[in-house]
Amino acid sequence: MGTNTSVSGVQGWILLYNLHVGEQAFPSMDHQQLSLDYDVIINCTGVGAHGLVGDTKVFPSRGQVMRVKAPWVKHWMLLEGKHPYIPGIPYVAGGSTATLIGGIRQDGRWDLHNDPRDTKTIWNGVTAAFPALKDAVVLEEKTGLRPMREEIRLEREEKKDPLSGRTVQVIHNYGHGANGITWSLGCAKEVALMVKQLLPEKSVKSRL
């Protein structure tokens, strides 16, 4: 039995439980509208925290992957360490609908376009390490940014709006690097615990 740990799998879970995810743009975490509309804000902006909250410890690590049709692949495989003739950091992740192959790690690079040079590196590396993939059919390519940070930022911060004087509690949860899905459940539980601790505090203050 396999486990679907893809982002699309997580999105499917959200739809299954009928959870509403809205979207609204704010230039920074100090935007007045935030303190007026919300009591608790959970900041899960990943590499975007570099600009949103001015965290210079956050930096991107660009990655590029390919989804291929290779139904004979049933396992995950990874070649660790620098190899004398196999380029990149090749890995293969078998899935229920497609196989994911990679990979690229380019720290400090922000662009999100698929680079043909990286496509070649991935394909040559994977097929050299795992020759059974030579007959795989490429379905799509994707590029993303890993939110790198020396330490995950998982903490509570109180911010005060200078105009209204109102305070809002911010819980930061970002900087998971290449392990976001791996650590997502544990960090989400920590965030949920912080929110539970904050809500009684808000309730008591509102009654005084």
Side-chain angles (χ1 to χ4, degrees):
M1 176 180 289
T3 301
N4 188 345
T5 55
S6 67
V7 174
S8 59
V10 175
Q11 291 171 338
W13 182 89
I14 291 173
L15 293 174
L16 176 65
Y17 285 89
N18 197 29
L19 300 178
H20 174 70
V21 179
E23 183 175 325
Q24 188 173 357
F26 292 98
S28 75
M29 193 62 75
D30 294 320
H31 196 275
Q32 185 183 6
Q33 195 65 35
L34 288 173
S35 64
L36 293 177
D37 291 349
Y38 304 99
D39 294 319
V40 180
I41 298 169
I42 302 171
N43 173 24
C44 303
T45 52
V47 73
H50 183 279
L52 185 68
V53 296
D55 189 342
T56 57
K57 294 180 180 179
V58 180
F59 63 93
S61 177
R62 182 184 172 278
Q64 185 171 319
V65 297
M66 303 164 69
R67 288 178 68 249
V68 301
K69 186 177 182 180
W72 57 90
V73 175
K74 306 296 182 182
H75 305 285
W76 288 37
M77 298 172 280
L78 169 67
L79 189 66
E80 293 187 355
K82 188 174 179 61
H83 197 277
Y85 65 87
I86 296 177
I89 44 174
Y91 64 82
V92 177
S96 57
T97 59
T99 295
L100 187 73
I101 65 173
I104 296 293
R105 174 170 176 169
Q106 298 165 338
D107 291 351
R109 184 173 169 182
W110 286 90
D111 67 280
L112 287 168
H113 71 274
N114 297 328
D115 191 325
R117 295 169 298 180
D118 294 329
T119 299
K120 183 177 180 180
T121 296
I122 293 170
W123 186 256
N124 290 345
V126 167
T127 55
F130 315 110
L133 270 296
K134 287 183 178 179
D135 295 325
V137 177
V138 177
L139 301 175
E140 67 174 336
E141 297 181 57
K142 288 188 176 181
T143 297
L145 302 178
R146 305 175 185 93
M148 307 303 291
R149 197 174 188 272
E150 187 174 337
E151 295 179 335
I152 294 174
R153 188 180 184 190
L154 183 53
E155 63 181 0
R156 167 181 165 183
E157 179 186 14
E158 184 176 279
K159 298 186 76 68
K160 187 173 183 179
D161 176 52
L163 297 177
S164 66
R166 191 175 185 275
T167 60
V168 60
Q169 300 294 330
V170 179
I171 299 174
H172 298 286
N173 179 28
Y174 62 82
H176 299 79
N179 303 301
I181 293 177
T182 304
W183 289 333
S184 60
L185 182 59
C187 289
K189 287 182 176 180
E190 288 291 324
V191 169
L193 181 60
M194 290 182 187
V195 173
K196 286 181 180 179
Q197 293 171 340
L198 281 171
L199 291 181
E201 292 180 17
K202 284 287 181 182
S203 179
V204 169
K205 289 179 181 179
S206 66
R207 290 197 296 267
L208 294 178

